[in-house]
Amino acid sequence: MPRVFEQDGFLFFFYSNDHHPIHVHVRYGDGEAVFIIADEVTLRESVGLKVKELSKAEKLASDNKSLIVQKWNEHIG
C-alpha cells in the first residue's frame, strides 16, 4: 500500500495493483473515500465519512494534486 501523504489525520494512499483512471484512496478514522484525480478532483465513492470530513479530504487532495499524480506515476505507471 504505497502512501502518498498524511495530513491532519487523513491518510492518502494507493493500492499496489490499482487501475486507471488516476485516483487516490483516503482514510480518516473508520471512514474511507476515493477521489478521481483529473482536471478536477472528483469524489468517486465514500463510506463512513461525514460531509465536513469529505470536504476536508477533497481540499487536501486538490491542494496536493500534483504530488498525487507524481506518486501515481512512480508506483502505478
Side-chain angles (χ1 to χ4, degrees):
M1 176 177 82
R3 288 178 176 230
V4 179
F5 70 97
E6 190 169 355
Q7 186 174 339
D8 300 332
F10 291 85
L11 172 62
F12 290 76
F13 65 96
F14 308 124
Y15 287 104
S16 296
N17 61 345
D18 253 337
H19 52 82
H20 285 275
I22 296 174
H23 62 280
V24 67
H25 297 259
V26 184
R27 277 197 193 131
Y28 183 79
D30 292 331
E32 187 170 332
V34 180
F35 291 94
I36 302 290
I37 308 298
D39 291 335
E40 300 285 327
V41 172
T42 308
L43 177 65
R44 185 179 82 189
E45 61 187 274
S46 77
V47 175
L49 292 175
K50 298 174 183 170
V51 172
K52 185 176 179 179
E53 296 165 345
L54 280 172
S55 293
K56 175 71 172 182
E58 184 174 11
K59 178 170 180 6
L60 289 171
S62 293
D63 290 349
N64 291 280
K65 188 166 77 167
S66 61
L67 174 64
I68 293 167
V69 171
Q70 174 192 342
K71 295 290 188 179
W72 176 276
N73 290 330
E74 289 173 8
H75 292 286
I76 309 298

